[in-house]
Amino acid sequence: MKCIPIYDVKFDSSSIAAINDIKRRRNLTLVLSQVMPFGTMANIFVGNGALKSSYNIKQTDFEALAQAMASLPEIQRKIIRDIAKIEAVSHIGKESTFWKGVADGCKIN
């Protein structure tokens, strides 16, 4: 999809709130992607002796952790796409065109 520039878009309060919500969710996804592996490692090693750590390593499903982390970007894209689709049908003109572009994968900087 080619992202075309849209000039002189005037955003209403609903669009501004949606843009802020998208930015907030992107930041939360970034934090979650950093915290998930740390939490797993802390669960294995923090406060445990060698025997308990060995058992925790054996019981930890690293494949599930990897799959969960790999799915974060897709979950984020779906949430952003859903927000953008709602905003696209709630507006007309340039604002609607902007939101259709976001729903199709154009980025908000």
Side-chain angles (χ1 to χ4, degrees), residues 32-76:
L32 183 59
S33 69
Q34 294 170 348
V35 169
M36 283 175 66
F38 175 77
T40 300
M41 294 302 128
N43 186 43
I44 293 171
F45 297 110
V46 174
N48 296 322
L51 184 60
K52 178 76 171 164
S53 292
S54 296
Y55 176 77
N56 286 347
I57 289 171
K58 185 176 180 182
Q59 295 302 311
T60 300
D61 190 349
F62 289 103
E63 188 174 322
L65 175 64
Q67 288 174 346
M69 291 192 59
S71 67
L72 284 176
E74 184 54 39
I75 293 168
Q76 177 182 315

Side-chain angles (χ1 to χ4, degrees), residues 85-101:
K85 285 179 180 180
I86 291 168
E87 292 298 318
V89 297
S90 301
H91 295 89
I92 58 172
K94 291 180 180 181
E95 219 170 344
S96 178
T97 303
F98 169 81
W99 285 114
K100 287 175 186 173

